[in-house]
Amino acid sequence: MAAVFAAGVGAGAINSVVGSGTLITFPVLLATGLSPVTATVSNALGLIPGSISGAIGYREELRGQRRRVLKLGSGALVGGFAGAALLLTLPADAFETIVPVLVGLALLLVAFQPQIGRLVQRRRARTGASPRRDGGPLLFTGLTLASVYGGYFTAAQGIIYLSLMGMLLDEPLQRLNGVKNVLAAVVNTVAALFFVFAADLEWTAVGLLAVGSGLGGYVGAKVGRHFSPTVLRTLVVTVGTMALVQLLLR
């Protein structure tokens, strides 16, 4: 119980700043004897308070983004539900091959975001195009598909969100991180509500994760929102690389 609670605190803090907190909680839940599916669905429900407290902690960065959050959140809602349904219908190893590829590509996009941003700006200058405030259909589709993955298995979901938004939106990384936390909260919530009615949950683990992640998410947001863009990007790439290694070795 102490290990599950501590994992929840750590996951909540990491999720609010970077993402990939599931790579802490999931192995701990498996070590307690839960099956992979029960661990996944219990984890999704238990991490909801952490996602919400992380979004609250980033409320200053979310100012002026209401319309964007509502639009992108609608895609996250649909994607999260679809991913949760896939978890209960597809074989347990269905995503084993594609997940490391997705995480690896996301890490490259985050690492080279400044260079990609400059290339995009130069292209806009040549064509006279102005950036779309909501990222256009490409971002909406990409985030919706990422939310399908998030509803299925949340590991590194936040990193994928940040990479897509960083490439297609002209915003500081911290403001994008606030949006990421809201989208993660939407996906976790809709997936967890689906699981409550369609899957077996370990309620003791859910309760411990909920309390721990709620605390960790708020503390992580308080600390993380003061990081410089370079520090935040370095942290995202570092944690994401560790997540990628763990996924490849598992």
Short mmCIF file of all heavy atoms in Angstrom, two decimals, residues 115-131:
data_model
loop_
_atom_site.label_atom_id
_atom_site.label_comp_id
_atom_site.label_asym_id
_atom_site.label_seq_id
_atom_site.Cartn_x
_atom_site.Cartn_y
_atom_site.Cartn_z
N GLN A 115 14.13 24.22 -33.59
CA GLN A 115 14.53 24.20 -35.00
C GLN A 115 13.33 24.02 -35.91
O GLN A 115 13.21 24.68 -36.94
CB GLN A 115 15.55 23.07 -35.24
CG GLN A 115 16.89 23.26 -34.56
CD GLN A 115 16.92 22.77 -33.12
OE1 GLN A 115 15.87 22.54 -32.52
NE2 GLN A 115 18.11 22.62 -32.57
N ILE A 116 12.41 23.13 -35.52
CA ILE A 116 11.20 22.92 -36.31
C ILE A 116 10.36 24.18 -36.35
O ILE A 116 9.83 24.57 -37.40
CB ILE A 116 10.37 21.75 -35.73
CG1 ILE A 116 11.14 20.43 -35.89
CG2 ILE A 116 9.01 21.64 -36.44
CD1 ILE A 116 10.48 19.26 -35.18
N GLY A 117 10.27 24.87 -35.19
CA GLY A 117 9.51 26.11 -35.13
C GLY A 117 10.07 27.18 -36.05
O GLY A 117 9.32 27.90 -36.73
N ARG A 118 11.40 27.28 -36.11
CA ARG A 118 12.02 28.27 -37.00
C ARG A 118 11.77 27.94 -38.47
O ARG A 118 11.52 28.84 -39.29
CB ARG A 118 13.52 28.37 -36.72
CG ARG A 118 13.85 29.08 -35.41
CD ARG A 118 15.33 29.42 -35.33
NE ARG A 118 16.15 28.23 -35.13
CZ ARG A 118 16.49 27.75 -33.95
NH1 ARG A 118 16.05 28.34 -32.84
NH2 ARG A 118 17.26 26.68 -33.85
N LEU A 119 11.82 26.65 -38.81
CA LEU A 119 11.53 26.25 -40.19
C LEU A 119 10.09 26.59 -40.57
O LEU A 119 9.83 27.07 -41.68
CB LEU A 119 11.79 24.75 -40.36
CG LEU A 119 13.24 24.28 -40.33
CD1 LEU A 119 13.32 22.77 -40.35
CD2 LEU A 119 14.00 24.87 -41.52
N VAL A 120 9.17 26.32 -39.65
CA VAL A 120 7.76 26.62 -39.91
C VAL A 120 7.55 28.13 -40.08
O VAL A 120 6.82 28.57 -40.98
CB VAL A 120 6.88 26.08 -38.77
CG1 VAL A 120 5.44 26.57 -38.93
CG2 VAL A 120 6.90 24.56 -38.75
N GLN A 121 8.20 28.93 -39.23
CA GLN A 121 8.06 30.38 -39.33
C GLN A 121 8.61 30.91 -40.65
O GLN A 121 8.03 31.81 -41.27
CB GLN A 121 8.75 31.04 -38.14
CG GLN A 121 8.01 30.85 -36.83
CD GLN A 121 8.78 31.43 -35.66
OE1 GLN A 121 9.90 31.92 -35.79
NE2 GLN A 121 8.17 31.37 -34.47
N ARG A 122 9.76 30.37 -41.08
CA ARG A 122 10.32 30.82 -42.36
C ARG A 122 9.40 30.45 -43.52
O ARG A 122 9.24 31.23 -44.47
CB ARG A 122 11.71 30.20 -42.56
CG ARG A 122 12.80 30.84 -41.71
CD ARG A 122 14.19 30.55 -42.28
NE ARG A 122 14.56 29.16 -42.11
CZ ARG A 122 15.24 28.70 -41.05
NH1 ARG A 122 15.58 29.53 -40.08
NH2 ARG A 122 15.56 27.42 -40.98
N ARG A 123 8.80 29.27 -43.44
CA ARG A 123 7.88 28.85 -44.49
C ARG A 123 6.66 29.76 -44.52
O ARG A 123 6.19 30.15 -45.60
CB ARG A 123 7.46 27.39 -44.27
CG ARG A 123 6.54 26.84 -45.35
CD ARG A 123 6.23 25.37 -45.12
NE ARG A 123 5.37 24.84 -46.16
CZ ARG A 123 4.04 24.97 -46.17
NH1 ARG A 123 3.43 25.61 -45.18
NH2 ARG A 123 3.32 24.47 -47.16
N ARG A 124 6.15 30.13 -43.35
CA ARG A 124 5.00 31.04 -43.29
C ARG A 124 5.36 32.40 -43.86
O ARG A 124 4.56 33.05 -44.53
CB ARG A 124 4.53 31.17 -41.85
CG ARG A 124 3.76 29.96 -41.33
CD ARG A 124 3.50 30.10 -39.86
NE ARG A 124 2.77 28.93 -39.33
CZ ARG A 124 2.73 28.61 -38.05
NH1 ARG A 124 3.38 29.35 -37.15
NH2 ARG A 124 2.06 27.55 -37.65
N ALA A 125 6.59 32.84 -43.58
CA ALA A 125 7.03 34.14 -44.09
C ALA A 125 7.08 34.14 -45.61
O ALA A 125 6.73 35.13 -46.26
CB ALA A 125 8.39 34.49 -43.50
N ARG A 126 7.52 33.03 -46.18
CA ARG A 126 7.60 32.94 -47.65
C ARG A 126 6.23 32.88 -48.29
O ARG A 126 5.99 33.48 -49.33
CB ARG A 126 8.41 31.69 -48.06
CG ARG A 126 9.90 31.76 -47.78
CD ARG A 126 10.66 30.70 -48.58
NE ARG A 126 10.13 29.37 -48.34
CZ ARG A 126 10.57 28.55 -47.39
NH1 ARG A 126 11.53 28.95 -46.57
NH2 ARG A 126 10.05 27.34 -47.24
N THR A 127 5.32 32.15 -47.67
CA THR A 127 3.99 31.96 -48.26
C THR A 127 2.98 33.02 -47.84
O THR A 127 1.90 33.12 -48.42
CB THR A 127 3.43 30.57 -47.88
OG1 THR A 127 3.30 30.50 -46.45
CG2 THR A 127 4.35 29.47 -48.37
N GLY A 128 3.33 33.79 -46.80
CA GLY A 128 2.41 34.81 -46.30
C GLY A 128 1.29 34.25 -45.47
O GLY A 128 0.31 34.95 -45.18
N ALA A 129 1.39 33.00 -45.06
CA ALA A 129 0.34 32.37 -44.25
C ALA A 129 0.50 32.78 -42.79
O ALA A 129 1.62 32.99 -42.31
CB ALA A 129 0.41 30.84 -44.37
N SER A 130 -0.61 32.88 -42.09
CA SER A 130 -0.59 33.21 -40.67
C SER A 130 -0.88 31.94 -39.86
O SER A 130 -1.65 31.08 -40.31
CB SER A 130 -1.64 34.28 -40.34
OG SER A 130 -2.92 33.85 -40.72
N PRO A 131 -0.26 31.80 -38.68
CA PRO A 131 -0.49 30.58 -37.88
C PRO A 131 -1.93 30.47 -37.41
O PRO A 131 -2.55 31.47 -37.04
CB PRO A 131 0.46 30.76 -36.68
CG PRO A 131 0.70 32.23 -36.60
CD PRO A 131 0.63 32.74 -38.00
#
